[in-house]
């Protein structure tokens, strides 16, 4: 299982527009990915409702994970996108 821990670099956290950008990137990743807050269970990273339900705020740590082959590159891209401005995802 490939995993990346990253602090959300967007001040507004994962709500509305940033979550939409992240979900589109997760759908385009080509592998199934989950996202979880450090103290919670994983949810489907390609589901807008699931990502919004996390209530992840700026600066909080989240865990991206995937058991699929080739997941490392996808997780690296998604982790970088969470750490930078939404336009970079």
């Amino acid at each position: 299982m490939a995993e990346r821990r990253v602090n959300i670099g967007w001040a507004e956290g994962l709500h509305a527009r940033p979550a939409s950008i992240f979900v589109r990137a997760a759908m385009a990743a080509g592998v199934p990915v989950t996202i979880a807050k450090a103290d919670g269970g994983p949810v489907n990273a390609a589901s807008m409702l699931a990502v919004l339900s996390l209530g992840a705020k700026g600066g909080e740590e989240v865990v991206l994970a995937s058991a699929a082959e080739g997941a490392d590159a996808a997780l690296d891209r998604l982790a970088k996108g969470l750490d930078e401005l939404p336009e970079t995802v």
Side-chain angles (χ1 to χ4, degrees):
M1 171 83 67
E3 184 177 287
R4 301 291 181 278
R5 292 181 174 272
V6 62
N7 290 329
I8 297 174
W10 307 341
E12 61 274 12
L14 279 179
H15 77 84
R17 183 173 174 269
S20 172
I21 293 167
F22 173 76
V23 166
R24 281 195 308 261
M27 287 190 299
V31 296
V33 176
T34 62
I35 182 171
K37 287 173 62 170
D39 60 351
V43 300
N44 181 355
S47 167
M48 183 68 170
L49 289 177
V51 171
L52 288 173
S53 75
L54 290 174
K57 296 179 176 40
E60 283 189 302
E61 182 180 67
V62 292
V63 180
L64 302 172
S66 179
E69 276 190 50
D72 286 315
L75 293 180
D76 287 342
R77 278 193 310 276
L78 290 171
K80 182 180 179 196
L82 282 175
D83 191 40
E84 297 179 355
L85 296 174
E87 290 76 18
T88 63
V89 176

